[in-house]
Amino acid sequence: MSLVHSTPVTGDPLCGALMVQGTTSDAGKSTLVAGLCRLFARQGVSVAPFKPQNMALNSAVTLDGGEIGRAQALQAIACGLAPHTDFNPVLLKPSSDTSAQVIIHGKALSTLEAKAFFGPQSQGYKTMALAAVMQSYTRLQQQYSLVVTEGAGSPAEINLRQGDIANMGFAEEADCPVIIIADIDKGGVFAHLVGTLALLSPSEQARVKGFVINRFRGDISLLQSGIDWLEAYTQKPVLGVLPYLHDLHLDAEDALIDNPQSTLSTPLSASQRLSVLVLVYPRISNHTDFDPLRLHPHIDFHYVTMQSMAQASEWPAADLVILPGSKNVRADLAFVREQGWDLALKKHLRYGGKVIGICGGYQMLGEWIDDPLGIEDNVGCSTGLGLLPITTVLTASKTLTQVRGHLRLQGQQVEFSGYEIHCGESSLTENITQPLSIEQYADQPMSVTKLDGMVSNDQQILATYVHGLFDHPAACQLILLWAGLESRHAIDINQIREQQLNRLADVLEAHLDMNTLKGIIS
């Protein structure tokens, strides 16, 4: 397999490996790895990110036509690299509470391939998955001076220790030093660190070289006695205490983050402000699509969840409602109906509101969705919301590609870029305006332009298979104009991401014992 990574820098001042594990999910592993990657890249180190096994519904499409976790794509950007499948060789995408799609080296396994991994005749998941993990890790070691690896969840999950490839199972196989990060903001940080260490085997305990305490607020001197006790009790150093970073805007691996507090000092007119709701179903995917809207100072952005609607009789007033992507479209469509959101959506349209459907949300807006092979769940066919003239059949082959082209709306045309990631193939049942023309897949220009998406005849519904449209400022601004926002203010999420990565790297450089950390790596 040929790599599309950038050429490593020669004469690196640092060479080795490091793994970041956490006491819990959301302890800060992804963020710490991203910050370290940016910090070392700025120092001239040829560094690459790695996560052996990830479970997430937010994913990214790589230039080599694969699929990896969104956090690893962010970490690649932090390194100045194009996302590649080797950065996350095993990705699990839950489609229900008891099943998940297995993606190895960027490609979803077929049913037969999955049985080879999990079935009674298999050699065991750990054996096969670990082989895929080590293939990728070895390639990265050969190309880069430093590989910074992120663990998953906690290494102390007793029920998951056998067959582990995500935490200490990998670290032992790769002979990689480990640091453990814990979130003090949730409380119990010393119990988390000591308890995690205590549940590891002697060899794994020896592999842990230090701790990082994350999200601290207040006077650091009040924590010093606890740090002294922890270091004396474990005989391992605390490498740093990281402050709580307010308004850190980076791509989330899974967590839904609602609208930040507005910073506008003057009230806006109706034409200068847009209210946006995004429906949250159980298997929502790629909700990072909406970060540019969530951060837009002229948008009142909110997620609609079953919990948020528990005490409400109807949705809050909105100009725009968005149906996002889904990992299990038919089950999530059934959920939408169970909540009565289908009726609320039609009422929203009757009152002149706008609707956008992206990927799975696009499919839901059509006439029916057929899953004859049981690709996402049980075999069957579901009636759609009947708002767009399309029918969809889920297929075994999965579209995974980065795209470029032009978007035409409101009599205007702008460039866009994004990515497609879906199993469905949709067909029009009548002629309708298709606003997107795709002219390039990844780095390969096309001889014939492909049309995508549709705009309803009444101009109230816009739908597309393309993720990431809002990341492109010109495309985002045109879509918001179509939705009713006359403001010319544009958010460049890529610029924000760069600013935040550098901010994070600055904080790590100031608050971590970098000399000790480099000694651990080397």
Side-chain angles (χ1 to χ4, degrees), residues 7-8 18-20 70 80 90 93 101 148 158 176 183 200 257 260 305 364 380 392 420 442 480:
T7 303
L18 179 69
M19 186 173 195
V20 176
R70 171 65 57 176
V90 179
K93 301 187 76 174
Q101 184 179 56
V148 183
I158 302 302
C176 180
D183 180 4
L200 302 179
I257 305 171
T305 67
M364 291 182 194
T392 300
E420 291 187 36
L480 294 179

Side-chain angles (χ1 to χ4, degrees), residues 324-337:
S326 165
K327 182 60 190 69
N328 191 330
V329 181
R330 291 175 56 235
D332 280 345
L333 176 58
F335 174 84
V336 167
R337 286 197 166 101

Side-chain angles (χ1 to χ4, degrees), residues 39-52:
L39 177 56
F40 288 131
R42 291 194 317 197
Q43 295 176 353
V45 179
S46 67
V47 56
F50 186 64
K51 184 158 186 169

Side-chain angles (χ1 to χ4, degrees), residues 1 43 61 109 154 180 211 231 240 255 272 323 383-384 415 421 426 435-436 484:
M1 180 187 298
Q43 295 176 353
V61 175
L109 299 185
S154 162
I180 298 179
F211 305 121
E231 290 182 329
Q272 294 176 305
L323 282 70
T383 302
E415 292 183 348
I421 177 170
S426 297
L436 281 78

Side-chain angles (χ1 to χ4, degrees), residues 154-196:
S154 162
E157 302 290 353
I158 302 302
N159 57 310
L160 300 177
R161 293 296 299 277
Q162 186 175 1
D164 168 54
I165 65 167
N167 289 299
M168 283 300 180
F170 165 79
E172 295 273 70
E173 184 73 19
D175 192 19
C176 180
V178 172
I179 62 174
I180 298 179
I181 185 170
D183 180 4
I184 195 172
D185 193 54
K186 293 183 174 66
V189 68
F190 298 113
H192 282 169
L193 288 168
V194 172
T196 297

Side-chain angles (χ1 to χ4, degrees), residues 248-250 252 254-260 287 291 294 301 303:
L248 181 65
H249 302 305
L250 291 173
D254 269 319
L256 289 169
I257 305 171
D258 218 328
N259 195 32
H287 56 71
D291 284 352
R294 187 174 58 82
F301 178 96
Y303 288 109

